[in-house]
Amino acid sequence: MSSIVDQILREKEKQDAVILAHLYVDGEVQEIADFCGDSYYLSQMAQKTDAKVIIFCGVEFMAESAKILNPEKLVLMPDRAADCPMAHMATVEQVQEFRDKYDDLAVVCYINSTTELKTVSDVCVTSSNAKKVISNIPNKHILFIPDQNLGGFLAPQFPDKEFHFVDGYCHVHHFMDPEQVKTLKAEHPDAKVACHPECNPEVRALADYIGSTTGILKYAADTDAEEFIILTEIGVAHRLRLDNPDKQFFFPETRPVCPNMKKVSLEKVLRVLKDHKDPIEVAPETAERAKKCLLKMHQWGG
Ligand code: 13P
Ligand code: SF4
């Protein structure tokens, strides 16, 4: 009996499938992926791929975005229950209320959002391209949904604009405890602190670098330090340790773990490759409306 990894690789080849994995899924799943990275990188790979089948090892909004960009492809998730709670933390009604209030409003939607929210937004962003994308927006008033933390990190970088927020957050990053970060800093005074912008403002204030998941990997590789305190989901430890065997990485005592990303397993990847169960479906008219703001992100953020 061949190993599960061999079976996945064989099945993938047979079906002309590509496996995309976010850096927060388990290391063994990252290892079998064709492309592994942050949300923006994966969206770019989903847009470029020639494969007939996309297996998305991540959460629902990522797989739906891949389907919207590739309506003709079969997009599958190893576990359809892997959803991002933050994606649902804004409503179409809230967006309409802000549109009624401000004539020149631009609605900027973090890619971590439902497809429905994308249909009523002007442009999407991820944490790695948000600054570049927003620099292209002429409007003074910006409604940033749903993540108040990424929005709060971006707003001071655009002093001429007026930002508005809803109170969405990522529970993994938002509830990180600044006291635990201070303790780590005291234990490792020479360590550099790299932080995801989804973290709360008190935690962000303790960081030497703030950036996306891929940004954090790059910062750790390029920075001349031996120790790093990493303030994002624990899944990045896999690549950090592989890429930097001589460096040490420390995470807060309360481990930042995304239970949804952790639903993806090798067994489920193999199963969905074989049974093609519950493919991602987005109604064509909805997909067409949501696609506009994803394409604008690729145009402005590329
Ligand atoms: P990035 O992949 O853009 O760093 O976002 C992190 C995240 O929370 C994905 O769900
Ligand atoms: Fe959502 Fe946070 Fe999990 Fe990313 S880490 S999928 S933002 S809950």
Side-chain angles (χ1 to χ4, degrees):
M1 180 69 179
S2 55
S3 75
I4 186 155
V5 171
D6 290 340
Q7 291 180 67
I8 290 171
L9 297 181
R10 241 189 350 256
E11 203 62 39
K12 185 172 78 95
E13 182 97 10
K14 204 162 89 189
Q15 303 202 18
D16 188 15
V18 65
I19 301 182
L20 306 181
H22 193 270
L23 287 157
Y24 294 166
V25 300
D26 277 334
E28 59 181 19
V29 177
Q30 295 183 33
E31 287 298 308
I32 50 103
D34 296 288
F35 300 102
C36 186
D38 68 3
S39 307
Y40 186 46
Y41 175 72
L42 295 178
S43 183
Q44 287 176 310
M45 293 306 112
Q47 197 187 24
K48 284 183 189 157
T49 184
D50 291 329
K52 287 198 190 102
V53 181
I54 298 175
I55 308 290
F56 216 120
C57 301
V59 290
E60 189 175 52
F61 73 81
M62 298 177 174
E64 283 195 353
S65 298
K67 179 69 182 176
I68 291 165
L69 293 168
N70 296 283
E72 75 295 348
K73 292 192 199 301
L74 181 64
V75 179
L76 297 160
M77 285 177 72
D79 189 328
R80 282 302 307 263
D83 194 5
C84 169
M86 178 165 69
H88 303 267
M89 290 187 190
T91 64
V92 168
E93 291 72 27
Q94 280 174 315
V95 171
Q96 193 52 52
E97 275 167 33
F98 278 97
R99 287 213 190 269
D100 291 344
K101 211 159 154 190
Y102 301 100
D103 284 344
D104 75 330
L105 188 78
V107 181
V108 178
C109 166
Y110 193 16
I111 198 167
N112 302 37
S113 57
T114 60
T115 297
E116 190 190 25
L117 285 170
K118 291 183 179 85
T119 66
V120 294
S121 298
D122 296 303
V123 63
C124 257
V125 296
T126 76
S127 52
S128 63
N129 62 30
K131 192 171 174 195
K132 204 167 168 193
V133 171
I134 294 172
S135 306
N136 281 280
I137 298 176
N139 313 46
K140 178 170 170 62
H141 290 276
I142 308 260
L143 172 63
F144 191 91
I145 56 170
D147 188 16
Q148 59 183 294
N149 289 310
L150 176 58
F153 166 66
L154 292 164
Q157 301 177 46
F158 296 93
D160 296 341
K161 296 199 185 291
E162 211 174 295
F163 276 71
H164 308 273
F165 305 108
V166 295
D167 50 12
Y169 58 85
C170 159
H171 65 102
V172 181
H173 292 88
H174 184 69
F175 294 113
M176 224 176 260
D177 180 359
E179 293 310 314
Q180 290 188 11
V181 180
K182 285 180 197 160
T183 305
L184 272 175
K185 280 174 74 113
E187 287 167 1
H188 307 282
D190 296 330
K192 294 286 180 196
V193 181
C195 170
H196 198 280
E198 288 174 12
C199 289
N200 66 63
E202 293 78 21
V203 165
R204 293 200 307 269
L206 300 167
D208 297 299
Y209 170 80
I210 301 174
S212 78
T213 316
T214 303
I216 290 173
L217 288 184
K218 198 168 157 19
Y219 175 76
D222 295 349
T223 303
D224 188 17
E226 283 170 17
E227 296 186 330
F228 293 84
I229 294 167
I230 303 294
L231 306 177
T232 190
E233 213 273 352
I234 196 91
V236 300
H238 178 73
R239 271 287 287 280
L240 282 170
R241 290 182 177 135
L242 274 180
D243 291 353
N244 309 279
D246 299 332
K247 298 183 178 180
Q248 278 198 291
F249 300 97
F250 305 98
F251 288 79
E253 189 187 350
T254 307
R255 291 287 183 252
V257 176
C258 175
N260 282 289
M261 291 284 189
K262 298 299 184 262
K263 285 183 175 141
V264 184
S265 67
L266 289 179
E267 288 73 18
K268 291 178 190 173
V269 171
L270 181 60
R271 192 172 65 203
V272 81
L273 262 169
K274 286 184 167 170
D275 70 13
H276 289 193
K277 218 170 140 209
D278 283 338
I280 301 285
E281 304 282 3
V282 183
E285 197 197 311
T286 309
E288 214 35 61
R289 287 169 64 205
K291 192 176 181 176
K292 287 192 188 122
C293 77
L294 281 168
L295 288 181
K296 199 170 269 183
M297 171 183 82
H298 282 287
Q299 184 194 337
W300 284 348

